[in-house]
Amino acid sequence: MGTGMGGARGGAGGGGWVPGERWWRVPFLALASVSFLISLILLFLSAPRLRLPSVAPSAAAASAVRRGPDAPPCLAYLLTGARGDGRRLLRLLLAVYHPRNRYVLHLSADAPDDERLILAAGVVAAAPAVGAFDNVAVVGNPTAGTPVGSSGLAGTLRAAALLLRLHPDWDWFLTLNAADYPLVTQDDLIHVLSSVPRDLNFIDHTSSPWVILNRRFIEYCVLAWENLPRILLMYFNNIIQPQEGYFHSVICNSLEFRNFTVNTDLRFMQRDDPAQAEPPFLSWEHYGQMVDSGAPFARPFQENDPLLNQIDGNILKRRSHGPVPGAWCSGRKRWFGDPCSQWGDVNIVRPGPQAVKLHQYVNQTLEEAKSSSNSCRR
């Protein structure tokens, strides 16, 4: 994918709006920019969510979470799925849950309201910490879930706006799909990311739609204090798959952010044929390579694939009815008990063996990012 403004997929086309255009385009652009800005402000202020049932947030628990540059990073997750993906999203949430983090769950508009309500109830039942830390939201008025068109990008920006409005204290925004699954614990991931500069953005420049973006860049895209995000959004709203190019084009054409990119989405995928639109489902034959890669996430998995149980048991140590145990879980480990039903200091993380591979993986990607051929730096 091209990374310049004139690239076929990486920019706004060879005839973009630049100084020297005909004078009559100026008022049109101004009107469109103002209209778009108003729409984003309304979206930012009114993004709806479902209230989780029987949740009583604890002020003491929330105040116990340390934030800031001297504290472990806080991750903001967007977990997305379509009709019938409610159980997969719940499992994915439990696999990546940590009280320090923030989460938005989005089941697309083709899913019935009952599925969203069941998902919300399942979250509270499976992870009691959610009630105390009030860090999970289920989108109550979703966008369409089609892989083409502007709805997917609109849903991502809307979820980002919701996270900024509810919890403006996170460091990175991560997008995961129901077909994704982690290969490391959140203790592993938070520990490794603690040594990574928080102004970096992990984004595959070859048009992968899954991204890990820092909060400052998300604010730039949502609040759009410059024209670039607005202009490119108007352009990408008219292409088939805008999520494969919008964030990439904004960041690579922004003087403020283009020098802070790492050319990877931190996911393991097996592409037998580069021409395939989607990589094939992962299977047992990929397990060793997948784990040894050190990548924190992998995709795509089939629903209820036994391979997920292998990851739960061997890597995450997660039981089927609760979140992945971490240093924050202080309950006793029993056969029918959930050690994460009680918690201690959530600012402490205890990395496991997979953190060593993750650290090597991240260090390698950071070294590669220094090469001009592996970033959009100018």
Side-chain angles (χ1 to χ4, degrees):
M1 179 187 103
T3 57
M5 286 289 286
R9 299 187 64 180
W17 287 285
V18 294
E21 287 282 0
R22 294 181 181 177
W23 65 268
W24 55 268
R25 293 197 179 189
V26 175
F28 167 78
L29 177 57
L31 179 61
S33 297
V34 170
S35 175
F36 176 73
L37 180 59
I38 293 173
S39 298
L40 269 184
I41 291 174
L42 292 176
L43 174 149
F44 180 75
L45 294 174
S46 61
R49 62 168 175 161
L50 287 180
R51 288 291 178 182
L52 300 185
S54 304
V55 168
S58 167
S63 64
V65 180
R66 290 193 295 111
R67 307 291 186 193
D70 297 327
C74 172
L75 310 179
Y77 282 91
L78 168 60
L79 311 182
T80 61
R83 182 186 183 95
D85 282 338
R87 291 184 179 180
R88 299 178 77 184
L89 280 194
L90 177 57
R91 180 173 188 166
L92 179 58
L93 171 68
L94 295 176
V96 297
Y97 182 78
H98 194 284
R100 291 189 53 79
N101 295 338
R102 309 299 193 182
Y103 303 86
V104 168
L105 279 57
H106 180 276
L107 278 174
S108 57
D110 61 337
D113 290 338
D114 286 350
E115 188 175 6
R116 268 179 284 279
L117 293 173
I118 292 172
L119 173 60
V123 169
V124 175
V130 169
F133 292 90
D134 192 26
N135 62 340
V136 178
V138 178
V139 174
N141 186 16
T143 57
T146 57
V148 297
S150 61
S151 59
L153 178 57
T156 300
L157 289 171
R158 191 182 188 205
L162 179 61
L163 285 163
L164 288 173
R165 179 169 65 88
L166 295 177
H167 309 291
D169 55 5
W170 42 268
D171 298 290
W172 276 290
F173 174 71
L174 293 78
T175 58
L176 296 178
N177 179 265
D180 292 303
Y181 212 67
L183 301 177
V184 298
T185 68
Q186 290 303 287
D187 277 17
D188 292 338
L189 185 57
I190 293 172
H191 168 74
V192 172
L193 289 180
S194 295
S195 60
V196 174
R198 300 187 190 184
D199 54 3
L200 291 181
N201 297 275
F202 298 87
I203 185 166
D204 189 333
H205 301 319
T206 58
S207 71
S208 171
W210 314 110
V211 295
I212 301 177
L213 305 171
N214 70 41
R215 188 183 66 201
R216 176 71 175 170
F217 179 66
I218 289 294
E219 290 173 340
Y220 178 70
C221 292
V222 172
L223 300 180
W225 57 77
E226 293 181 345
N227 282 333
L228 179 63
R230 295 192 289 270
I231 294 172
L232 289 177
L233 186 57
M234 286 187 288
Y235 168 74
F236 277 96
N237 273 338
N238 296 308
I239 69 172
I240 295 178
Q241 293 181 314
Q243 290 206 91
E244 291 192 359
Y246 173 69
F247 291 116
H248 315 62
S249 295
V250 173
I251 203 165
C252 283
N253 288 285
S254 167
L255 294 176
E256 181 176 353
F257 296 102
R258 68 186 181 195
N259 290 334
F260 300 94
T261 63
V262 182
N263 186 22
T264 178
D265 55 13
L266 300 184
R267 285 162 176 78
F268 176 88
M269 290 182 282
Q270 187 68 32
R271 287 193 180 273
D272 300 325
D273 180 3
Q276 288 179 312
E278 282 289 330
F281 287 113
L282 296 172
S283 62
W284 285 102
E285 64 180 290
H286 303 123
Y287 180 78
Q289 182 183 0
M290 179 174 59
V291 174
D292 290 340
S293 72
F297 305 102
R299 74 177 319 274
F301 294 94
Q302 296 189 72
E303 184 175 6
N304 296 323
D305 192 315
L307 186 57
L308 297 175
N309 297 332
Q310 187 83 351
I311 295 171
D312 277 347
N314 292 352
I315 301 175
L316 304 180
K317 310 301 181 184
R318 189 186 82 86
R319 299 179 181 181
S320 61
H321 57 277
V324 173
W328 64 277
C329 305
S330 63
R332 295 182 61 184
K333 295 182 180 180
R334 297 176 179 175
W335 180 253
F336 291 104
D338 176 13
C340 300
S341 61
Q342 299 176 336
W343 46 87
D345 189 347
V346 299
N347 302 300
I348 297 175
V349 295
R350 187 177 300 118
Q354 196 67 13
V356 177
K357 297 178 181 178
L358 174 61
H359 190 72
Q360 294 172 344
Y361 174 86
V362 170
N363 281 347
Q364 179 180 349
T365 60
L366 295 181
E367 285 298 319
E368 292 175 351
K370 296 178 181 178
S371 168
S372 59
S373 62
N374 286 296
S375 72
C376 57
R377 301 179 181 190
R378 303 277 178 89

